[in-house]
Amino acid sequence: MAIRIHFTADDFARVRFAPRPAPLIELNVALMKMCLPDDALLFGRWRRRLLRSLPPAVGPLRDVVPGDTAPLFLDVFADTLQDGLDTVRATPPALVRSELAHVHASRPAPPPPWIRDLHRGDADAWHVFRRAQQAAFDTVLRPVWPLIQDLHQAEFTRHALTTAERGIAHALTSALPGSQLANGIWELDSPVARTLTLQGRDLVLVPTFHWTGHPLIADPPGGPVHLTYPAGTGLPPTPPGPGGDPHDALSGVLGRTRTELLHRLADPHTTTQLARCLGVSNATASAHTAALRAAGLITTTRTGRSVLHEHTALGSLLVRRGEGGPRSAGPLSVGGSTLRGSKSKCD
């Protein structure tokens, strides 16, 4: 399955990268990620923490998005929260009614009374919905919003330089690794087959730092096409800990023991060596390596009676990003399977 976007020569001139993050889009994908069971090792703690911290005021969002499909009027790409909330409120009443009817059509239970009020355009119901979006942003995104702005600026700069040095075609395929652009057709992996023709409309690429799945398309009639794609490290953005520990973000996702284990694997270690370094039993060390291996962060290779564990390229990248820059972790290897000896350093 794939998304296929057809370009004319003029269409390439209308491709642009969003210069700033879109608060409501980042909120939408963060809430989607929070409700999915995937990436449990990397997102499980983040998911549980948010679910515990969401205030009751957020509850009406579950009524607006009662299943897998969200109303189209939530796809707002304004680059400030205030403008985004105002744009949602300004949605034409006919579109609000049709979208609410669409998302509730397959639900066995009737919608709650306040949704029927929203369907009628009641001002109090709109106030309830706006307060729910504001509360969700304050809880989920506000603590990490400065980080998201920094990540977005770095992503925007990277694509600007790529476009200047190598052209827009290379910038597109580098933004979404694995995509292909040939004969004026950009093909992107997707669980749903879809074909788009731009027909003179802008194509705006919007990175998101909470979503790790396939690209998401917003294709409103007559408006620009927005393509939201996963960027960043593949970890949920996490505010720095109160102690300023540069490993806190990674520890908040993996736990301190697994984070320390991942750092130790800058050099290959056996299970026994890891257990000794971390002060845990062999069985505990083995359980941690199994979890990290299942997440694609380490590989395990048998050498005689022992097994050696080491980073994959993804594991090494997460360690380096967690420290804010490169570290002496040894070379990245395709597939993460290059062994560099079996010595252990427990410094």
Side-chain angles (χ1 to χ4, degrees):
M1 295 286 188
I3 297 171
R4 294 179 176 86
I5 303 177
H6 291 250
F7 290 84
T8 65
D10 289 341
D11 290 333
F12 281 112
R14 303 181 71 89
V15 174
R16 50 194 173 92
F17 290 86
R20 288 169 293 278
L24 288 185
I25 295 301
E26 193 73 35
L27 177 62
N28 291 347
V29 296
L31 294 175
M32 286 167 59
K33 192 67 178 178
M34 186 182 69
C35 295
L36 293 173
D38 62 342
D39 294 334
L41 179 63
L42 299 181
F43 280 80
R45 288 172 179 246
W46 170 84
R47 199 171 275 133
R48 291 189 294 272
R49 174 176 59 80
L50 283 185
L51 287 171
R52 288 194 302 267
S53 62
L54 287 175
V58 174
L61 291 183
R62 289 192 295 267
D63 300 329
V64 176
V65 189
D68 296 335
T69 304
L72 291 180
F73 60 79
L74 296 186
D75 288 337
V76 172
F77 290 85
D79 57 15
T80 71
L81 179 63
Q82 186 68 39
D83 286 349
L85 295 174
D86 289 346
T87 301
V88 172
R89 180 62 181 90
T91 305
L95 179 60
V96 174
R97 291 194 296 270
S98 64
E99 286 299 303
L100 289 177
H102 172 67
V103 300
H104 282 275
S106 61
R107 309 301 296 177
W114 88 270
I115 286 289
R116 293 196 290 271
D117 293 341
L118 188 66
H119 186 273
R120 291 196 302 268
D122 179 78
D124 288 340
W126 273 110
H127 176 72
V128 168
F129 182 44
R130 187 187 186 102
R131 185 176 59 185
Q133 287 186 295
Q134 178 75 62
F137 180 89
D138 289 343
T139 303
V140 177
L141 290 188
R142 192 171 297 283
V144 296
W145 193 245
L147 173 60
I148 289 172
Q149 289 175 310
D150 289 345
L151 290 170
H152 187 105
Q153 183 60 38
E155 184 78 0
F156 180 79
T157 301
R158 178 171 75 90
H159 294 311
L161 291 173
T162 302
T163 300
E165 293 174 352
R166 306 190 63 178
I168 189 62
H170 190 82
L172 290 176
T173 54
S174 67
L176 283 87
S179 66
Q180 300 179 29
L181 179 56
N183 301 317
I185 301 174
W186 190 23
E187 188 170 298
L188 311 96
D189 287 340
S190 171
V192 178
R194 188 171 183 181
T195 299
L196 294 176
T197 54
L198 296 174
Q199 298 178 324
R201 293 178 296 163
D202 289 2
L203 173 66
V204 186
L205 274 71
V206 183
T208 173
F209 304 95
H210 285 86
W211 184 243
T212 60
H214 58 87
L216 307 171
I217 297 286
D219 181 20
V225 176
H226 286 84
L227 188 152
T228 303
Y229 67 95
T233 64
L235 290 171
T238 307
D245 182 352
H247 302 162
D248 276 350
L250 193 57
S251 297
V253 175
L254 299 180
R256 290 195 173 273
T257 301
R258 288 176 184 170
T259 299
E260 178 62 19
L261 188 154
L262 202 56
H263 279 276
R264 293 290 178 185
L265 293 181
D267 297 308
H269 283 61
T270 67
T271 303
T272 300
Q273 289 167 342
L274 287 172
R276 185 169 66 249
C277 290
L278 300 175
V280 298
S281 69
N282 277 19
T284 298
S286 181
H288 286 311
T289 56
L292 294 172
R293 185 168 56 251
L297 301 182
I298 69 170
T299 60
T300 300
T301 306
R302 179 168 294 279
T303 58
R305 294 185 178 182
S306 300
V307 293
L308 281 175
H309 310 285
E310 66 171 334
H311 292 154
T312 61
L314 174 61
S316 185
L317 175 63
L318 293 182
V319 169
R320 294 166 65 200
R321 289 292 182 91
E323 292 187 341
R327 72 188 300 267
S328 57
L332 291 180
S333 60
V334 177
S337 59
T338 301
L339 291 177
R340 294 177 294 277
S342 59
K343 63 180 179 178
S344 172
K345 293 183 179 179
C346 297
D347 25 316

